[in-house]
Amino acid sequence: MGTSRRRRDPTTTTSAATDTATATAAEPPPEREAKPADAAPVARWVRWLAMLVAFALMVAFAVVLARLTLEKSAASEPMTHTNLRPGDSIRDYVTQPAFVDTLRQLGGNILLGVPFGLLLPVLVPRARGLLRVGLCTALVMTAVEVVQGTFLTGRAFDIDDVILNTTGAFLGYLFLGRRLGRAVHPPRRRWWQRLFRGPRPAG
């Protein structure tokens, strides 16, 4: 017996292919995930304005610091003594019976260091970093203590004052100064980036 073969209609095949291509073209392209836009760099004039404000605040703070630490106090002369051993004066502050005096001595010295941690990262871009802020604060306050112990009546050098001042600078930097520095200045290259010649951050 003979078998009959059904011949395909080329018109039908062409029509089906056309319909498939049309359906594919009609499908909307898959949506791409939106990438978060990079933060725009701070304008140069905004950066200079922020540094100018930080400079003015630092000058005002220097005036207050000088009035608090570089004035003679003849009434305190019998009670002053030089302290070169870290922790001795802090222990005396904590063990004294008057809590108000303890708070004034400890809190006052810590507060004196906070402006360094807030203003230095904005005023001096190269001073950004916890260790750099602490080092700058320690150097300045050590110089103040040397002047107190050498030239001023009723004042004495106290290493614990430097420690407390530097602690205040650390706190100011960690709570706000770090953010202020990053908001005003472009990212700085880390030592390992300079060592391995990594790409310089955009900014």
Side-chain angles (χ1 to χ4, degrees):
M1 296 179 60
T3 56
S4 61
R5 294 182 179 178
R6 183 177 297 176
R7 300 177 61 185
R8 293 183 178 179
D9 187 357
T11 306
T12 304
T13 305
T14 305
S15 176
T18 305
D19 293 342
T20 304
T22 304
T24 304
E27 293 180 359
E31 296 182 357
R32 297 182 178 180
E33 295 182 359
K35 296 182 179 180
D38 296 334
V42 179
R44 185 180 297 272
W45 69 270
V46 176
R47 190 179 308 160
W48 281 105
L49 179 61
M51 293 176 68
L52 182 62
V53 172
F55 177 76
L57 292 175
M58 185 63 81
V59 170
F61 167 66
V63 173
V64 174
L65 180 65
R67 293 190 59 124
L68 291 175
T69 61
L70 298 180
E71 289 187 352
K72 297 180 180 181
S73 178
S76 303
E77 187 173 4
M79 298 179 293
T80 57
H81 63 279
T82 300
N83 174 35
L84 300 177
R85 298 178 60 182
D88 277 5
S89 293
I90 294 177
R91 183 170 56 252
D92 293 341
Y93 297 154
V94 173
T95 55
Q96 63 183 351
F99 175 75
V100 176
D101 291 340
T102 300
L103 186 63
R104 179 172 60 85
Q105 293 288 348
L106 295 178
N109 279 301
I110 291 174
L111 286 177
L112 277 180
V114 171
F116 288 100
L118 298 178
L119 300 177
L120 275 178
V122 178
L123 183 60
V124 186
R126 289 183 176 274
R128 287 180 295 170
L130 187 65
L131 295 180
R132 297 185 182 189
V133 168
L135 180 61
C136 291
T137 306
L139 290 175
V140 172
M141 299 313 297
T142 299
V144 170
E145 292 293 324
V146 169
V147 172
Q148 284 183 339
T150 306
F151 301 105
L152 300 179
T153 303
R155 303 281 186 173
F157 182 93
D158 194 335
I159 190 63
D160 282 345
D161 288 350
V162 178
I163 294 174
L164 293 173
N165 299 149
T166 306
T167 301
F170 285 153
L171 294 176
Y173 179 78
L174 291 175
F175 278 103
L176 187 58
R178 182 181 182 185
R179 297 179 184 179
L180 292 176
R182 288 184 173 182
V184 174
H185 301 290
R188 64 182 179 87
R189 301 187 71 187
R190 306 292 181 177
W191 64 268
W192 58 83
Q193 292 176 331
R194 295 193 297 268
L195 181 62
F196 295 104
R197 299 181 181 275
R200 182 178 293 275

